[in-house]
Amino acid sequence: MTTFLQFLVYGVQLGSVYALLALGYSMVYGIVRMINMAHGDFLMIGALSAIFIAMGFSGFMVDGRYPFYIVLAIILSAMILTGLLGVLVEKIAYKPLRDRPRMSSLITAVGVSMFLQNFPRALPFIGPQPRPFPQLFPLIQFRLGGVVVTSTQIILIVVSIILMISLDAIVQKTKFGAQIRAVSFDKDASLLMGIDTNRVISYTFLIGAVLAAASGIFYASIYPQVDVYMGSWLGTKSFIAAVIGGIGSIRGAILGGFILGITEILATSINSNLGYGIGFVILIVILLIKPAGILGKTEIDKV
Amino acid sequence: MKNKSILLSVLVVLSLLISTFSVGAIDPGETIKIGVVCPISGSAAIAGKYIINGVKLLDEEIKAAGGVERDGVFYPVEFIFEDNEAKEDITANAYQKLIYQDDVLAILGPDMSKTILAAGPIAQAAGVPNVGTFPTNTAVTEIGDYIFRACFIDPFQGQAAATYAWEAGYKTAGVLFNNADAYSKGLYEFFKLTFESLGGKVVEAQAYSGSDVKDYNVQLTKINAANPDCIFMPNLLSEVGLQIQQARSIGITAPLIGGDSWDTPEVTQIAGPKNIEGSVYVAAFSAENPDPIAQDFVNRFKEAFNGDLPNSNATLAYEAGKMIVEGIVNSETLDRAGVRDAIAQIKDLQLPSGTLTVGPDRNPIKGASVMRYDENGISRFLTIVNP
């Protein structure tokens, strides 16, 4: 039982990374109906920029640790930097293709993803080799019964949940959220109603990239190794999570992320040789029962 | 017109045939040409620099002795260096040039499995003995009977690690391996085979798939539950640092054992010096090996190259050259086929990284260095294992 609970902790930890990243996929899809394949790479950019910002702040270290306000500054500036990159990518690569066939923007997104992986790889001070991630959060182990929980895990899970709840509140309760929902419902009609759709789309990319940066920093805090390719597979996993939950739905993305994380860990614990595959079989079964995802709405294409 | 072109092509084929039959044989005292293929430019240029220096050291050694002595006749040796940029197609071009333009007796290098796998068939077809320096993939020597290598093959590391573990007194072992990677899986299988034939037992083997999963907590928790004396982790550089860190953070105290993928400072950086202290791994060569032949090689290398220490690339390039020279000395007829036969029969050749015997599958049987991480996370020579 304690091992089961321990595995559940690992599952929730992995799931919260997937959930944060899946949010970005879901929001962008919900609004511009495109799959931003480069979203996972925003996670990598977030983690990488945190490494370099932390290097810049190394003069502030006390006893080899960063004080709390510096950690906050590192995280926020990495998030803002990545957010701005997200907006830039949207302006340069996606906006000119918005009215073209959907396939064009999908291919462009794949291109952006490759660029974001290979450009830093070619830079001599980054390169392809994995690098360690600085320890930003204190590492304290707690024992609850037989279950070991670390302070980093608690911070990751709590902050992720706070971020998700506040995003949900913004979208559901604020005027800006109403604009997002309107654009997602019908872009042309909301333009006629006086909503600046370009601004809404830019903000969506900003929020998505900021959340990706946050998940990158949290991910790298638990698994302290960063390389330029880390975003590609994490992105794929989170995209699957978004589809499971029902792409376009924010709550669905969160649910999908946790389901994927927990299934993956538990399936591995049953049989490590097959676990990875078993996890995906379960996910396929979910999609067979609910093709639009757990919280997704079945849409009827209007002709 | 048509007849003319047929005649022409017949002539071309004939002249090619004649040239293949006449090349290779060397008159007494004539200069022997050996081609060296390595990455001089491109992404692996650093490895290439060490390979060149290893060969240069051998070159100086031969020059100082007045050439290679065979049946009382001294033959000067010329090494012809060709850049392969660590790329398959360019390696194939380099082989073509060395074999058909420079008319070399043998080819030394390259260092990577992928490049020798691409170009090796050219040497095999032309009947040119080829000794790779560091291509560890098992398929390399399967190209044909003219292809050799100076390094041990991947699975051999598993054997060496198991022998070390048993000699260190460990009776039970746990294994964490990547079942989607041939290197990792091969090392695990040979580790298990050797360890259990020595009398040990692999109590828990946990797999993970591919390099995309970075969470090994579940597997490590299960291994820890079996309470093994040691844990073998023959995994890739991009995975092993995190595995060590996660193993220690869930409270595993058993010593960890790895393969040559651990042989880089980045593993310590990611795992943290405190976590990695006391762990050991199998390496091709250590400059700290106290063996007199090894120390003589290290000192000469340092003297020749501004105090630079030889790494595995340099040592294996030097040793590949030594194997070819040994083949020349013992050949019955001084041509490509004669040198090939002599290389295949090398037995107990004394080299810096240990005694080398060429096995029936043209893979060397040689000792491996075991390295141990000290309290600063720096790997130090521990011992030599001879499986």
Side-chain angles (χ1 to χ4, degrees):
Chain A
M1 188 61 199
T2 42
T3 25
F4 176 76
L5 285 176
Q6 181 72 64
F7 290 161
L8 210 57
V9 172
Y10 297 142
V12 171
Q13 157 191 324
L14 197 61
S16 48
V17 174
Y18 290 154
L20 271 182
L21 206 54
L23 281 175
Y25 278 103
S26 234
M27 280 182 68
V28 169
Y29 182 84
I31 290 184
V32 278
R33 289 284 180 273
M34 78 165 273
I35 294 156
N36 179 18
M37 298 306 279
H39 189 69
D41 301 297
F42 292 152
L43 169 144
M44 176 270 296
I45 298 284
L48 259 186
S49 47
I51 290 183
F52 286 104
I53 295 166
M55 273 184 195
F57 277 117
S58 58
F60 292 89
M61 277 171 114
V62 183
D63 302 330
R65 310 204 50 85
Y66 290 100
F68 174 70
Y69 63 96
I70 294 293
V71 172
L72 207 63
I74 292 170
I75 294 176
L76 287 179
S77 39
M79 282 165 78
I80 292 167
L81 213 66
T82 316
L84 293 178
L85 181 79
V87 174
L88 196 72
V89 163
E90 198 272 330
K91 286 265 181 287
I92 296 173
Y94 300 153
K95 197 180 163 198
L97 295 167
R98 202 176 288 156
D99 298 321
R100 300 282 177 80
R102 230 176 267 172
M103 192 56 78
S104 313
S105 50
L106 182 72
I107 299 301
T108 313
V110 173
V112 169
S113 166
M114 285 178 180
F115 176 79
L116 287 181
Q117 285 169 28
N118 288 293
F119 182 66
R121 182 188 58 82
L123 293 176
F125 60 95
I126 298 179
Q129 76 278 21
R131 53 178 67 234
F133 193 78
Q135 198 185 329
L136 297 177
F137 306 110
L139 192 70
I140 309 159
Q141 287 197 347
F142 303 100
R143 281 187 179 277
L144 308 169
V147 182
V148 182
V149 187
T150 66
S151 49
T152 319
Q153 284 169 333
I154 296 173
I155 294 172
L156 162 71
I157 294 167
V158 170
V159 176
S160 307
I161 291 172
I162 291 174
L163 282 174
M164 291 176 223
I165 291 173
S166 38
L167 180 69
D168 196 56
I170 289 173
V171 174
Q172 300 298 337
K173 302 270 157 63
T174 65
K175 200 176 162 199
F176 177 65
Q179 290 183 356
I180 290 185
R181 279 179 290 141
V183 174
S184 148
F185 195 73
D186 191 328
K187 202 163 72 202
D188 298 328
S190 44
L191 193 62
L192 291 173
M193 303 313 281
I195 295 172
D196 185 351
T197 48
N198 278 334
R199 200 177 61 111
V200 171
I201 291 169
S202 287
Y203 275 106
T204 309
F205 270 86
L206 181 80
I207 295 172
V210 161
L211 290 177
S215 50
I217 293 165
F218 291 142
Y219 179 81
S221 296
I222 312 181
Y223 311 101
Q225 173 178 308
V226 175
D227 63 58
V228 291
Y229 304 113
M230 68 188 283
S232 84
W233 61 266
L234 265 173
T236 315
K237 287 280 190 62
S238 309
F239 175 58
I240 296 168
V243 173
I244 297 291
I247 193 150
S249 152
I250 285 175
R251 290 179 187 172
I254 298 169
L255 194 65
F258 283 113
I259 290 178
L260 183 65
I262 293 168
T263 346
E264 202 179 306
I265 292 285
L266 291 185
T268 310
S269 77
I270 295 165
N271 183 329
S272 65
N273 247 313
L274 302 174
Y276 198 51
I278 293 172
F280 284 99
V281 170
I282 295 170
L283 303 178
I284 291 170
V285 170
I286 293 179
L287 284 183
L288 281 176
I289 299 167
K290 294 219 59 168
I294 297 172
L295 296 183
K297 288 185 283 287
T298 325
E299 279 179 39
I300 301 154
D301 270 333
K302 283 164 275 191
V303 185
Chain B
M1 193 63 203
K2 209 178 175 189
N3 282 342
K4 232 180 191 175
S5 66
I6 289 173
L7 190 71
L8 202 70
S9 46
V10 167
L11 276 175
V12 169
V13 170
L14 268 179
S15 62
L16 273 176
L17 278 176
I18 291 163
S19 64
T20 13
F21 280 124
S22 62
V23 292
I26 286 162
D27 299 325
E30 198 192 326
T31 300
I32 294 174
K33 285 191 265 185
I34 297 174
V36 182
V37 180
C38 62
I40 298 172
S41 65
S43 57
I46 298 171
K49 197 194 92 187
Y50 278 100
I51 293 169
I52 294 169
N53 287 352
V55 175
K56 275 187 179 161
L57 200 69
L58 179 66
D59 190 25
E60 281 168 27
E61 196 180 304
I62 294 170
K63 283 209 174 82
V68 174
E69 190 188 354
R70 179 180 174 276
D71 284 345
V73 183
F74 282 89
Y75 294 83
V77 173
E78 185 195 345
F79 289 98
I80 302 170
F81 293 88
E82 284 295 327
D83 186 5
N84 74 347
E85 299 175 29
K87 288 179 187 150
E88 290 95 325
D89 49 342
I90 300 178
T91 310
N93 292 344
Y95 270 57
Q96 301 276 9
K97 178 188 172 276
L98 287 170
I99 295 170
Y100 297 109
Q101 270 181 43
D102 297 325
D103 195 14
V104 296
L105 180 68
I107 294 176
L108 191 167
D111 57 328
M112 289 183 189
S113 297
K114 63 169 188 179
T115 49
I116 197 169
L117 281 172
I122 299 170
Q124 175 66 31
V128 176
N130 183 188
V131 185
T133 63
F134 212 166
T136 51
N137 189 314
T138 37
V140 168
T141 44
E142 289 161 10
I143 294 171
D145 57 351
Y146 275 81
I147 314 295
F148 300 87
R149 66 179 115 211
C151 59
F152 47 57
I153 54 171
D154 289 341
F156 177 82
Q157 293 178 45
Q159 211 172 322
T163 311
Y164 164 77
W166 181 253
E167 283 172 4
Y170 306 136
K171 301 278 177 265
T172 56
V175 182
L176 175 67
F177 72 103
N178 182 341
N179 67 1
D181 179 67
Y183 170 86
S184 179
K185 202 158 178 269
L187 261 69
Y188 156 62
E189 280 161 2
F190 274 79
F191 178 88
K192 187 176 156 80
L193 202 72
T194 314
F195 195 61
E196 300 200 331
S197 74
L198 289 168
K201 183 152 179 50
V202 173
V203 286
E204 185 71 67
Q206 286 282 315
Y208 61 95
S209 316
S211 56
D212 60 343
V213 198
K214 296 280 190 248
D215 191 304
Y216 311 100
N217 284 312
V218 171
Q219 289 92 333
L220 289 167
T221 307
K222 290 199 136 186
I223 292 172
N224 200 25
N227 200 19
D229 294 341
C230 64
I231 300 173
F232 185 48
M233 294 185 181
N235 302 321
L236 301 178
L237 158 67
S238 57
E239 299 160 354
V240 85
L242 275 180
Q243 290 168 355
I244 296 167
Q245 186 255 347
Q246 285 176 18
R248 294 300 182 226
S249 77
I250 68 163
I252 290 178
T253 51
L256 309 176
I257 303 175
D260 66 357
S261 57
W262 290 35
D263 199 359
T264 149
E266 276 140 18
V267 173
T268 303
Q269 278 178 23
I270 289 161
K274 230 191 272 164
N275 292 329
I276 207 167
E277 187 191 349
S279 298
V280 299
Y281 66 88
V282 177
F285 174 72
S286 164
E288 293 176 4
N289 184 350
D291 176 76
I293 296 172
Q295 279 312 308
D296 173 59
F297 169 73
V298 171
N299 289 334
R300 278 192 293 138
F301 193 94
K302 270 165 74 178
E303 213 171 290
F305 303 108
N306 306 322
D308 206 6
L309 282 172
N311 64 4
S312 298
N313 280 308
T315 312
L316 289 169
Y318 175 84
E319 295 185 345
K322 279 290 224 187
M323 287 168 72
I324 295 174
V325 168
E326 185 74 5
I328 293 169
V329 172
N330 297 328
S331 57
E332 266 178 38
T333 51
L334 189 47
D335 55 20
R336 289 168 175 171
V339 171
R340 188 224 82 89
D341 293 346
I343 294 176
Q345 281 158 18
I346 288 176
K347 202 170 181 310
D348 295 333
L349 180 63
Q350 298 291 320
L351 293 173
S353 68
T355 313
L356 182 144
T357 297
V358 174
D361 49 3
R362 294 175 303 287
N363 291 320
I365 301 161
K366 66 197 283 199
S369 295
V370 177
M371 310 291 289
R372 182 183 179 278
Y373 284 100
D374 67 7
E375 67 278 11
N376 298 317
I378 296 163
S379 58
R380 299 275 177 208
F381 177 79
L382 184 65
T383 179
I384 288 270
V385 281
N386 289 302

